[in-house]
Amino acid sequence: MANWKFTDQYGSTYPSLQYSILSLLVFSEHSLNGNNFTGTLAVDATGTALSTIGTMLGMGSIPLSGTVDATGASLTVTLRSTNDQDFTQAIANCIPLIGGSITKNAWLDINTVSSQTDPEGDSPPTDVFSLGVTIAIGSASVDINTQVPMNGGFFYLSGEFTGVGISLNDLNFLMGPLAEGNAWFPSTELGPYSAGQTSFGLLSMSLLCYVTLAPSFSISINSVNVEVGISKLPLMGNALYLDPLGVWVTVTNPTSDAAVTWGLLGSVKLCNYANPGPVGLSDPDFTFDFTMTFPSSTDNTFGIAAYLENPAGKSVNVMLQDLMGQGTNVGIGDNITVNSFEFDTSADVSTGTINEFSTSIVMSGGFGLFEKIPLSVEQLSISVAYSAS
């Protein structure tokens, strides 16, 4: 059947399907054998939903295969493009920086779950219509993805990773003129935390791309963002560690007038006094998450934000013993607990003044200050905020 849509066959049974991407996609041919589906997307017949990706690929049709499960209360459709070689070559030819031999694979994904429930109720369809690209970084390969662009303008290719070891040189293909001498990375500013480091963990990467449709089609890279990590950095003996210390770097206009901004984020972990050292980092007593931004050529602001959570309700005395050794006693009751602590501040480095500051602390466990007041104070919260404006 020419010009077939999923809604033609399944729309009446699964009414929320009309709000999914499958209601827009037109297939020039399809076959369903049990749960196994094959079909060919017709780019021109579909129209806007495929016109941009069709132009990127230079393709009038996209073959797909996957599964269709319509046996229960939900319709589940999982499809992927099958012309990997042509698809990969087309993506490698049209996206700057990650083209050529760097692009190892590319594909189109459709994942939709549509319910029999009234579409005006609480069960809208779950929809993923994405473009995936595998790129080589050093000896590793990583996948980055984006929602399929359907018009001109911006789209993000991004991914988060674990266990991907790299050197800084491995990322230089993204950094344009800042690649020379790894000028994009703040090695000097990090001092001893990066001195001698030859291996880093790639935590995330994103490319902000821009599609121009007229007068001629093109894709440009507006910015590149990478986050690399260093793990298990000791701050205080075997008790306190930075794990990880993440360095985020954003390079704008990487293919021309490149400029860089950077900052830090990560976690400070306090190990239990009975389980100190790196082995204790998998189950620390306390974790203090933070982010820091540093001044750049376009922004004179230094900022830091941090947050401590204590979901296990461990006492201040445990914290002191973790820091100073088992048996430490400074006279604080065993039931005094810091439930949470957070602060956020920014300063203008050109004047040396703080622009904004806020902090709050939540404690529990009994407070001597209120002993003579006929109130039961189970939790105490203190907040302070300041703004120069």
Side-chain angles (χ1 to χ4, degrees), residues 31 214 304 370 383:
S31 173
I304 181 169
F370 303 103
S383 299

Side-chain angles (χ1 to χ4, degrees), residues 103-121:
T103 299
K104 296 301 183 183
N105 196 18
W107 64 91
L108 193 71
D109 269 330
I110 300 173
N111 293 284
T112 297
V113 179
S114 181
S115 172
Q116 292 179 351
T117 306
D118 181 355
E120 296 181 0

Side-chain angles (χ1 to χ4, degrees), residues 63-373:
L64 300 166
S65 68
T67 59
V68 176
D69 185 353
T71 58
S74 295
L75 171 71
T76 302
V77 179
T78 304
L79 304 176
R80 175 169 284 203
S81 57
T82 57
N83 55 337
D84 286 6
Q85 185 173 350
D86 294 341
F87 210 104
T88 300
Q89 187 61 53
I91 291 298
N93 289 340
C94 70
I95 301 181
L97 297 183
I98 64 170
S101 61
I102 292 170
T103 299
K104 296 301 183 183
N105 196 18
W107 64 91
L108 193 71
D109 269 330
I110 300 173
N111 293 284
T112 297
V113 179
S114 181
S115 172
Q116 292 179 351
T117 306
D118 181 355
E120 296 181 0
D122 297 325
S123 299
T126 301
D127 242 354
V128 175
F129 185 39
S130 64
L131 166 67
V133 184
T134 300
I135 63 173
I137 299 181
S139 60
S141 294
V142 299
D143 292 345
I144 52 178
N145 300 272
T146 184
Q147 193 76 4
V148 170
M150 297 186 185
N151 212 322
F154 291 106
F155 69 93
Y156 267 107
L157 275 164
S158 63
E160 296 183 352
F161 322 111
T162 57
V164 179
I166 59 162
S167 70
L168 297 181
N169 290 337
D170 291 337
L171 294 172
N172 280 340
F173 71 93
L174 296 169
M175 304 305 173
L178 297 179
E180 183 69 27
N182 298 325
W184 57 274
F185 191 78
S187 298
T188 301
E189 291 85 349
L190 290 174
Y193 296 120
S194 69
Q197 288 282 342
T198 58
S199 179
F200 298 80
L202 181 63
L203 305 178
S204 68
M205 182 181 75
S206 64
L207 284 75
L208 179 59
C209 309
Y210 189 85
V211 175
T212 299
L213 297 176
S216 61
F217 181 88
S218 66
I219 298 177
S220 58
I221 305 297
N222 182 269
S223 65
V224 172
N225 182 273
V226 296
E227 184 182 325
V228 298
I230 311 169
S231 62
K232 301 177 182 178
L233 292 171
L235 296 177
M236 184 178 172
N238 287 326
L240 199 64
Y241 288 83
L242 274 170
D243 184 54
L245 172 62
V247 184
W248 63 261
V249 176
T250 298
V251 176
T252 55
N253 302 316
T255 59
S256 55
D257 187 20
V260 63
T261 57
W262 65 280
L264 300 178
L265 73 166
S267 298
V268 177
K269 295 180 180 178
L270 181 59
C271 298
N272 183 269
Y273 59 80
N275 190 30
V279 295
L281 292 173
S282 61
D283 187 25
D285 276 350
F286 300 92
T287 300
F288 192 56
D289 297 318
F290 68 92
T291 59
M292 300 174 70
T293 55
F294 291 83
S296 67
S297 59
T298 57
D299 188 353
N300 282 328
T301 302
F302 167 83
I304 181 169
Y307 186 69
L308 169 70
E309 252 188 338
N310 186 11
K314 296 186 177 180
S315 69
V316 173
N317 270 339
V318 170
M319 183 184 294
L320 292 173
Q321 290 185 81
D322 289 345
L323 286 168
M324 304 170 65
Q326 186 174 2
T328 300
N329 188 346
V330 296
I332 297 176
D334 288 336
N335 57 344
I336 300 296
T337 300
V338 176
N339 297 341
S340 66
F341 171 69
E342 61 182 307
F343 71 90
D344 191 341
T345 187
S346 63
D348 186 332
V349 296
S350 62
T351 62
T353 58
I354 291 177
N355 297 329
E356 295 180 333
F357 175 82
S358 65
T359 185
S360 68
I361 183 170
V362 179
M363 301 180 66
S364 62
F367 306 94
L369 178 64
F370 303 103
E371 284 181 350
K372 297 182 178 180
I373 300 177

Side-chain angles (χ1 to χ4, degrees), residues 30-73:
H30 77 284
S31 173
L32 188 61
N33 183 12
N35 286 351
N36 297 317
F37 178 93
T38 58
T40 302
L41 280 176
V43 172
D44 290 340
T46 296
T48 301
L50 287 178
S51 61
T52 300
I53 190 69
T55 303
M56 288 174 63
L57 299 171
M59 296 178 179
S61 61
I62 303 173
L64 300 166
S65 68
T67 59
V68 176
D69 185 353
T71 58

